[in-house]
Amino acid sequence: MNFIRELLSNENKISENLKKIFWTVGTALFVIGVYGWYIRFVDGHLKANYGSIVTWGLWVAAYIYFIGLSAGSFLVSSLVYVFNFKKFERIGRLAVFTALVTLLMALLSIWADLGHMERAWHVMVFPNFKSPMAWMIYLYSIYMLLLIAEIYFLLRYDLVKEANDETIRGKLYRILSLGSKDLSEQSKTRDKKIVKILATIGIPIAILFHGGVGALFGVVAARPHWHSGLFPILFLLSALVSGGALLTLISSVFQEGWFKNKDVVVELGKMVLALLLLDVLFQFSEFLVAYRGGIPSHIAGYELVISGPYAWVFWGWQGFVGTVIPIFLLILPTRKSPRWVALAGLLIAAGIFGLRLNIVIPGLAVEEIHGLTSAIYSHRVDPNYFPSIPEWTLTFGIIGFGMILFGFGEFFLPKHEEKESAIVSQSKI
């Protein structure tokens, strides 16, 4: 106990150990993921456990989870760059970077789920403007370009400033600055204006593509578990919760955030708590409407969620770990400690993944033709889906890939503007 107390009282050690844990876990997950990708490329979908009844599995759930993290992180960054919300100014660039990394993770997840991964580019060359899924891809492409442009203009001044160093970092900055050498105040002001324009354009795009994912589920009348007008709003709300929660953790771990972002993390915790309570209210409304209506096909999916094979995800993972514990951490005096707030953020972000699983899988596990799964004996005609080892390992690999990108981002991203904004932020708090 003395060792733990001493460890917790030494902030330098905490920060150092957090980074060690982060790199170790990220690298281990990435290595594990190599096996999953190998199986995916060699055997296709043969080793995956989804089939003719549950046609979407872990990778689709991971996709809507990561895309929600991206949209949520971007919308938090827009509070800084569009609405001039000074309290979050220190983590604005980190939020945009998080949006880009989680977008890449989302696209990798859904790419793994494609029947023919090698044909992913067909959607661009052979466009079908009547397909909602095609429009999603177009919006993701625009969104990715917008994020890259926004990061460039956020970093350009610092990249140019450090480009003369003869270190590896300086050489990298010369490449990333794209030949720009302008360090005038006018160029800095111009960059800020461009960032504001890009962030403003990005808000409706982020709302469209993530609300659109919710609409994609909500319009499927054949799946009563999904068929709800509230789904686009729920998806958007959960994205804000998970994105904000992830940022409390990331802003604690990266770029000496354990020392510099304490106030920001606590403020983020307040916002995440409010959003989480609203999200719980909306989810409760969905259950209430379904059970009050009493339509068997509507209730069937919820029965699987609360008392079926996926009950442990709902009560244990999503409910207790991802909701109850974080709410107490964010209400009790622990809400003033960035350590506990960051832990609450980690639990909430993990809990929202359980929510995504409970949206995708139970919605498909309800038999459309009663008795079909009993009449046909095949593991592909089985409503009791549980992800296979290759599915888990590939998903772990994507998480590890994202963690490594965050690690490289922390090492390579310039920090001068961070120092400046810290002074501004501290003077205004």
Side-chain angles (χ1 to χ4, degrees):
M1 290 299 290
N2 288 335
F3 169 74
I4 295 174
R5 198 175 295 116
E6 184 184 342
L7 188 66
L8 290 175
S9 63
N10 190 327
E11 294 190 332
N12 280 320
K13 278 189 177 178
I14 293 173
S15 178
E16 190 179 322
N17 288 331
L18 275 176
K19 287 182 184 177
K20 284 181 182 175
I21 292 170
F22 190 88
W23 274 104
T24 304
V25 173
T27 306
L29 291 176
F30 182 79
V31 172
I32 289 171
V34 172
Y35 169 75
W37 281 107
Y38 171 76
I39 296 295
R40 175 64 187 87
F41 284 122
V42 173
D43 294 330
H45 293 267
L46 287 176
K47 300 291 173 64
N49 278 349
Y50 43 75
S52 300
I53 301 297
V54 180
T55 50
W56 288 346
L58 180 64
W59 296 334
V60 172
Y63 152 67
I64 61 173
Y65 173 69
F66 291 133
I67 207 70
L69 289 178
S70 180
S73 302
F74 180 80
L75 291 173
V76 171
S77 79
S78 68
L79 292 175
V80 177
Y81 300 119
V82 178
F83 302 105
N84 206 24
F85 200 74
K86 297 294 181 184
K87 286 184 177 178
F88 296 157
E89 190 172 10
R90 276 191 52 77
I91 61 161
R93 299 200 305 190
L94 190 58
V96 179
F97 183 68
T98 302
L100 181 60
V101 171
T102 47
L103 173 65
L104 292 173
M105 294 165 74
L107 295 180
L108 277 175
S109 300
I110 199 62
W111 186 52
D113 190 73
L114 294 180
H116 290 275
M117 299 166 76
E118 74 281 2
R119 297 181 187 171
W121 57 276
H122 282 204
V123 71
M124 295 294 181
V125 181
F126 308 108
N128 178 2
F129 297 113
K130 294 180 180 178
S131 165
M133 285 193 178
W135 275 106
M136 300 292 295
I137 300 298
Y138 305 146
L139 285 172
Y140 291 152
S141 304
I142 295 169
Y143 177 61
M144 182 183 286
L145 292 174
L146 185 141
L147 286 175
I148 292 171
E150 188 172 345
I151 288 176
Y152 172 75
F153 285 106
L154 281 169
L155 300 180
R156 191 204 61 83
Y157 185 85
D158 291 332
L159 290 172
V160 174
K161 203 172 179 180
E162 295 191 29
N164 291 328
D165 289 352
E166 288 305 320
T167 59
I168 294 176
R169 189 175 296 181
K171 291 176 182 174
L172 179 66
Y173 289 175
R174 279 199 286 280
I175 296 171
L176 294 179
S177 60
L178 302 179
S180 176
K181 296 179 180 175
D182 194 349
L183 284 173
S184 64
E185 283 303 311
Q186 290 86 348
S187 70
K188 203 172 175 181
T189 305
R190 182 202 60 204
D191 289 348
K192 287 181 179 176
K193 286 181 181 175
I194 294 174
V195 166
K196 185 170 184 175
I197 292 169
L198 291 172
T200 305
I201 295 170
I203 291 175
I205 292 176
I207 291 173
L208 267 175
F209 75 68
H210 199 60
V213 175
L216 212 61
F217 282 84
V219 297
V220 183
R223 298 288 177 185
H225 185 63
W226 297 339
H227 192 47
S228 164
L230 211 55
F231 251 48
I233 308 298
L234 259 175
F235 268 61
L236 206 54
L237 191 53
S238 299
L240 283 168
V241 176
S242 59
L246 182 66
L247 283 174
T248 61
L249 177 68
I250 290 175
S251 55
S252 300
V253 175
F254 290 109
Q255 298 199 333
E256 300 175 349
W258 200 255
F259 307 104
K260 295 180 179 177
N261 294 335
K262 288 181 177 178
D263 295 331
V264 181
V265 171
V266 172
E267 287 299 322
L268 265 175
K270 294 176 186 174
M271 184 189 78
V272 169
L273 173 63
L275 291 168
L276 177 62
L277 292 173
L278 195 59
D279 193 51
V280 170
L281 176 66
F282 273 52
Q283 288 180 50
F284 180 70
S285 301
E286 282 285 275
F287 277 87
L288 197 64
V289 170
Y291 278 93
R292 184 67 183 87
I295 301 172
S297 58
H298 283 195
I299 296 174
Y302 291 102
E303 289 290 322
L304 289 176
V305 170
I306 63 174
S307 59
Y310 313 108
W312 63 277
V313 177
F314 178 73
W315 295 107
W317 184 346
Q318 179 189 338
F320 185 68
V321 175
T323 305
V324 175
I325 295 177
I327 286 176
F328 277 111
L329 288 175
L330 295 174
I331 288 177
L332 295 173
T334 48
R335 70 183 184 279
K336 298 176 184 175
S337 165
R339 299 170 193 175
W340 291 110
V341 173
L343 175 62
L346 172 64
L347 296 178
I348 292 170
I352 294 292
F353 190 70
L355 170 66
R356 298 311 193 202
L357 283 168
N358 267 333
I359 286 174
V360 175
I361 298 168
L364 292 166
V366 176
E367 292 181 78
E368 288 185 291
I369 303 174
H370 186 65
L372 177 66
T373 57
S374 305
I376 301 174
Y377 179 75
S378 167
H379 73 284
R380 293 293 178 194
V381 188
D382 186 351
N384 298 313
Y385 164 79
F386 189 82
S388 64
I389 290 176
E391 286 177 82
W392 282 114
T393 52
L394 188 146
T395 306
F396 290 153
I398 292 172
I399 295 171
F401 170 72
M403 292 175 78
I404 289 173
L405 283 184
F406 276 119
F408 280 125
E410 190 217 10
F411 184 75
F412 286 111
L413 286 180
K415 300 177 184 176
H416 283 142
E417 189 69 24
E418 289 280 324
K419 292 174 186 173
E420 184 180 311
S421 66
I423 296 168
V424 173
S425 182
Q426 285 169 6
S427 66
K428 294 186 178 184
I429 289 174

